[in-house]
Amino acid sequence: MMTSIHMKDQIHNTIKEVMNEKKGFDWDEIFQNITMLSLLAFFMTFGLSW
């Protein structure tokens, strides 16, 4: 069983890692989001007009 101090240290370390990450463009994620939204709009339009 972990002590509360150890758990707090893990939480603080995780927060530091997240805050120190450099924000850049992840082109794969952007392309996936655009593709998903395009397909969703297409099928919603096709489904509603059919």
Side-chain angles (χ1 to χ4, degrees), residues 38-48:
S38 300
L39 288 173
L40 181 65
F42 173 76
F43 284 115
M44 288 294 290
T45 304
F46 179 72
L48 291 175

Side-chain angles (χ1 to χ4, degrees), residues 1 13 17 19 21 28 30 37 44 46 48-49:
M1 186 170 157
N13 290 340
E17 288 176 9
M19 295 300 284
E21 287 181 356
D28 289 336
I30 292 171
L37 290 173
M44 288 294 290
F46 179 72
L48 291 175
S49 65

